[in-house]
């Protein structure tokens, strides 16, 4: 009680010095509160932003790895690439439908699966694609395998993110190039239809096809294609094998749809075939493709002849959260998935890309926190040291009348603790009030910096040299404004972060001309709810106690070193 009473009297007696300490601790605490809240919000966004969000993933061929290994194995001394070795490394790497299904069954983390099979078909005299070209269909169909294979019979695709895959099934939801005049797309389920590569669509007439054998041969076509060929529901169309015009397939139109992304510009630019145009997409079931001998299993079984067009299989796994997706990646490896393949998710990677400014801000907050604590700690130690030296005579008197040195040291520690706690309380209040606006202002600066880097990159590639009416031409500001208007529900509810990337919209948008891939701007997280919670308060208390103990330790060392008689002798 003696120590507490003396400590309180000393605090109230030395108001000037203690007010200075309170101001210093308040500034330290406010800065620390803001830094800790930013890091807490960033960690929450990273860890739980996708926990309650449906995630899709694909298995992709790691083409870069295989090419690198083939180069190492060939060991050519002349420095020329061994094309045969690289083609051999990429050959026969296509996974079958049963392979994909095997990995799905091997993991309990898979919520659902769906897949599409896409094959290019040629026009006939009675059924023509929507195009302004007067060239015959054969020009786009004949020997057009260069756009759909790697030179070794392996179909190419836009590999899934992270794998740079040429593996069908690892592409961007089926947006791989196909040869011919039409793309006949077979869907496995309604879930696959709702995630069509060309985007969402609405039925304007008729109905959607079924998925069982009783609906084999039923298709739906776009309104543009129906109007171009003067077709209506119930009509029969005939399409041809692009490699053998003598082989035709009869299909029945049971519905006409209007695609929300319908365009008169073929996907992939002017060099793409008309089959890449969303208007020339014919939708059906995978059962129909199987009945025609055009499904992926028939294509890879070896029973079909060389004239059979290549079918691209795109298989998608659906997960309820990011943790399930990560668990599946491990389960697939255990089930025998070769290291030549990677499990990747555009949803996860786009979300992580959207967190780049937030991660940069988190690093900045950590640096600021370290600097503030270091400077503040040094200042507190110096003030404490001066305080002890000024009260040297008081220490000598107390110890001379019989007060234990330990109690004297405890008094100085308690004085500093009282002053520090007052400063921490004030700093925490100020930091709590300022954390949200300050953190969002800092994050806005990080987003602008990231956008500026993207704009600079576009300029380096000549992106901004296109005319205002060029395909895909848009300013970086417009792209970001459009992107920032979108947000994921999980970011708002779980992490307090908004403006995260909408990967599904990006994946479904047709690429309009050169530079289309570069025009995909990440929708960065534009704001965070950096509120002060119990975790931040707890961390702040630990910081305050740590600074107090460090400063108090200096006082304790000096108090224990002082000899009362020597102090009094020097005073006299």
């Amino acid at each position: 009680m003696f120590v507490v009473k003396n400590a309180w009297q000393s605090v109230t007696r030395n108001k000037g010095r203690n007010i200075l300490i309170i101001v210093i601790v308040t500034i330290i605490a406010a800065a620390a509160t803001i830094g800790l809240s930013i890091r807490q919000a960033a960690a929450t966004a990273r860890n739980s932003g996708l926990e309650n969000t449906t995630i899709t993933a694909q298995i992709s061929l790691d083409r870069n790895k295989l090419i690198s290994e083939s180069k190492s194995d060939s060991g050519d001394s002349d420095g020329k690439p061994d094309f045969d070795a690289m083609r051999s490394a990429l050959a026969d790497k296509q996974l079958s439908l049963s392979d994909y299904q095997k990995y799905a069954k091997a993991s309990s983390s898979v919520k659902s699966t769906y897949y599409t099979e896409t094959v290019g078909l040629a026009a006939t005299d009675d059924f023509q694609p929507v195009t302004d070209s007067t060239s015959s269909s054969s020009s786009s169909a004949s020997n057009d395998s260069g756009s759909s294979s790697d030179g070794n019979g392996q179909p190419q695709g836009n590999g899934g993110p992270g794998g740079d895959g040429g593996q069908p099934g690892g592409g961007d939801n089926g947006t791989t190039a196909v040869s011919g005049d039409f793309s006949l797309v077979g869907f496995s389920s309604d879930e696959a239809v709702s995630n069509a590569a060309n985007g969402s669509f609405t039925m304007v007439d008729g109905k959607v096809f079924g998925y069982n054998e009783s609906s084999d041969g039923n298709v739906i076509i776009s309104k543009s294609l129906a109007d171009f060929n003067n077709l209506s529901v119930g009509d029969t169309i005939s399409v041809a094998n692009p490699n053998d015009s003598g082989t035709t397939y009869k299909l029945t139109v049971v519905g006409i749809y209007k695609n929300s992304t319908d365009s008169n510009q073929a996907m992939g630019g002017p060099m793409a075939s008309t089959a890449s145009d969303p208007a020339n997409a014919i939708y059906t079931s995978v059962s129909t493709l199987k009945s025609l001998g055009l499904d992926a299993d028939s294509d890879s079984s070896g029973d079909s002849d060389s004239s059979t067009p290549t079918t691209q299989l795109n298989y998608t796994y659906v997960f309820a959260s990011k943790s399930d997706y990560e668990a599946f990646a491990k389960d697939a490896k255990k089930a025998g998935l070769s290291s030549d393949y990677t499990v990747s998710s555009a949803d996860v990677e786009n979300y992580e890309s959207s967190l780049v400014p937030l991660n940069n801000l988190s690093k900045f907050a950590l640096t600021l926190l370290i600097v503030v604590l270091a400077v503040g700690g040094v200042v507190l130690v110096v003030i404490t040291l001066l305080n002890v030296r000024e009260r040297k005579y008081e220490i000598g008197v107390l110890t001379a009348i019989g007060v234990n040195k330990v109690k004297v040291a405890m008094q100085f520690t308690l004085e500093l603790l009282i002053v520090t706690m007052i400063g921490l309380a004030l700093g925490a209040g100020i930091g709590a009030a300022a954390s949200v606006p300050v953190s969002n202002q800092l994050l806005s600066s990080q987003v602008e910096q990231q956008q500026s880097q993207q704009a600079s990159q576009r300029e380096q590639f000549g992106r901004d040299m296109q005319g205002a009416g060029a395909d895909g031409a848009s300013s970086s500001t417009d792209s970001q404004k459009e992107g920032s208007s979108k947000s994921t529900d999980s970011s708002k509810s779980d992490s307090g972060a908004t403006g995260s990337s909408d990967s599904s919209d990006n994946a479904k948008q047709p690429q309009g001309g050169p530079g289309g891939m570069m025009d995909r701007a990440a929708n960065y997280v534009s704001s965070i709810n950096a509120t002060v919670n119990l975790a931040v308060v707890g961390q702040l208390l630990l910081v305050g106690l740590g600074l107090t103990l460090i400063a108090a330790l200096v006082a304790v060392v000096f108090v224990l070193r002082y000899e009362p008689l020597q102090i009094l002798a020097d005073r006299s």
Side-chain angles (χ1 to χ4, degrees):
M1 194 64 184
F2 171 78
V3 173
V4 175
K5 182 179 178 180
N6 276 8
W8 179 250
Q9 289 179 348
S10 178
V11 169
T12 56
R13 183 172 59 248
N14 301 306
K15 294 184 178 65
R17 181 184 66 246
N18 292 325
I19 289 176
L20 176 61
I21 296 177
I22 290 174
V23 171
I24 293 174
V25 174
T26 299
I27 295 174
I28 296 173
T33 301
I34 294 174
L36 291 172
S37 61
I38 289 175
R39 289 184 57 79
Q40 181 79 12
T44 302
R46 285 193 300 268
N47 297 332
S48 62
L50 293 175
E51 277 307 305
N52 296 317
T53 302
T54 299
I55 295 175
T56 59
Q58 297 82 29
I59 296 178
S60 309
L61 179 65
D62 194 345
R63 182 182 294 177
N64 285 341
K65 172 180 175 293
L66 293 174
I67 292 178
S68 177
E69 289 179 350
S70 66
K71 284 184 177 180
S72 301
D73 295 339
S74 59
D76 287 343
S77 57
D78 56 2
K80 294 182 180 179
D82 189 343
F83 295 111
D84 291 336
M86 288 186 286
R87 290 192 181 101
S88 177
L90 297 173
D92 301 326
K93 294 295 184 179
Q94 180 175 358
L95 295 178
S96 65
L97 178 60
S98 59
D99 291 330
Y100 289 114
Q101 292 173 337
K102 178 185 72 173
Y103 299 129
K105 294 177 181 178
S107 176
S108 59
S109 302
V110 179
K111 179 181 179 181
S112 63
T113 62
Y114 61 86
Y115 64 95
T116 62
E117 296 180 339
T118 306
V119 60
L121 297 176
T124 60
D125 293 338
D126 298 328
F127 187 55
Q128 296 289 315
V130 178
T131 178
D132 57 3
S133 174
T134 58
S135 61
S136 64
S137 63
S138 61
S139 63
S140 63
S142 61
N143 297 325
D144 197 22
S145 61
S147 64
S148 60
S149 68
D150 62 5
N152 204 25
Q154 293 302 316
Q156 288 184 357
N158 299 330
D164 186 30
Q167 172 65 28
D172 291 359
N173 293 331
T175 58
T176 49
V178 294
S179 61
D181 299 302
F182 307 100
S183 59
L184 181 61
V185 185
F187 296 92
S188 63
S189 62
D190 285 343
E191 188 175 12
V193 173
S194 64
N195 291 279
N198 293 334
S200 59
F201 62 87
T202 55
M203 298 298 298
V204 296
D205 193 13
K207 61 181 181 179
V208 179
F209 48 82
Y211 300 100
N212 51 33
E213 295 181 357
S214 62
S215 299
D216 286 351
N218 293 344
V219 300
I220 61 175
I221 61 176
S222 69
K223 189 175 186 304
S224 299
L225 187 58
D227 292 343
F228 193 82
N229 288 275
N230 195 26
L231 294 171
S232 58
V233 173
D235 289 343
T236 300
I237 59 176
S238 178
V239 287
N241 185 328
N243 301 325
D244 181 9
S245 59
T247 302
T248 58
Y249 310 95
K250 298 291 184 180
L251 303 170
T252 302
V253 178
V254 296
I256 297 174
Y257 69 89
K258 182 174 179 59
N259 200 314
S260 60
T261 57
D262 200 8
S263 170
N264 58 3
Q265 174 69 32
M267 294 175 63
M271 297 304 292
S273 67
T274 56
S276 299
D277 192 324
N280 294 320
I282 303 174
Y283 292 162
T284 186
S285 65
V286 291
S287 179
T288 294
L289 266 65
K290 186 174 182 179
S291 66
L292 299 175
L294 297 175
D295 61 314
D297 282 348
S298 299
D299 181 43
S300 60
S301 63
D303 297 334
S304 57
D305 55 40
S306 58
S307 65
T308 302
T310 300
T311 303
Q312 297 174 351
L313 171 62
N314 288 269
Y315 199 95
T316 302
Y317 301 90
V318 182
F319 308 96
S321 65
K322 181 182 178 182
S323 57
D324 288 345
Y325 156 71
E326 293 171 343
F328 169 75
K330 297 178 182 178
D331 293 339
K333 294 295 183 182
K334 292 179 181 178
L337 181 64
S338 170
S339 59
D340 295 340
Y341 302 89
T342 60
V343 179
S344 56
S345 170
D347 297 327
V348 173
E349 295 189 2
N350 286 341
Y351 184 75
E352 290 176 348
S353 297
S354 74
L355 294 179
V356 169
L358 184 57
N359 291 333
N360 292 339
L361 180 60
S362 179
K363 294 177 182 178
F364 170 76
L366 178 60
T367 303
L368 175 65
L369 188 62
I370 293 174
V371 171
V372 168
L373 293 181
V375 173
V378 171
V379 172
L380 280 180
V381 168
V382 171
I383 292 177
T384 302
L385 179 59
L386 294 176
N387 181 31
V388 173
R389 292 177 65 87
E390 287 176 1
R391 298 168 62 184
K392 187 176 180 181
Y393 182 73
E394 178 187 344
I395 296 172
V397 172
L398 288 173
T399 53
I401 63 176
V403 179
N404 191 293
K405 287 185 178 181
V406 174
K407 289 186 177 181
V408 175
M410 288 177 59
Q411 176 184 327
F412 277 87
T413 303
L414 188 57
E415 290 176 16
L416 186 59
L417 184 62
I418 293 173
V419 176
T420 303
M421 289 299 106
I422 295 174
L424 282 177
L426 293 175
I430 296 173
S435 60
V436 174
V438 170
S439 60
N440 284 325
Q441 182 62 37
L442 293 174
L443 180 58
S444 176
S445 300
Q446 290 291 335
V447 171
E448 290 178 1
Q449 180 180 355
Q450 202 69 22
Q451 291 173 353
S452 177
Q453 292 178 359
Q454 284 190 342
S456 176
Q457 185 180 22
R458 291 191 184 96
E459 290 175 359
Q460 292 174 1
F461 282 93
R463 184 65 184 83
D464 291 341
M465 295 175 63
Q466 298 188 26
D471 294 325
S474 62
S475 68
S476 61
T477 303
D478 292 339
S479 298
Q480 293 299 334
K481 284 182 178 178
E482 179 182 357
S484 63
S485 64
K486 301 175 183 177
S487 63
T488 56
D489 294 338
S490 64
S491 300
K492 292 180 180 178
S493 60
D494 294 336
S495 65
T498 62
S500 58
S501 59
D502 191 340
S503 60
S504 60
D505 287 347
N506 284 341
K508 294 175 183 177
Q509 291 298 329
Q511 299 304 314
M517 291 299 293
M518 289 180 60
D519 203 33
R520 285 187 183 180
N523 302 322
Y524 297 118
V525 169
S526 57
S527 64
I528 53 175
N529 187 18
T531 55
V532 177
N533 52 25
L534 292 178
V536 173
V537 173
Q539 293 173 355
L540 186 62
L541 286 175
L542 291 177
V543 169
L545 290 175
L547 292 178
T548 301
L549 291 177
I550 292 173
L553 182 61
V554 175
V556 170
V557 170
F558 275 84
V559 168
L560 294 178
R561 286 178 58 191
Y562 289 152
E563 292 296 334
L565 296 179
Q566 184 65 40
I567 292 175
L568 296 177
D570 293 340
R571 178 78 173 187
S572 62

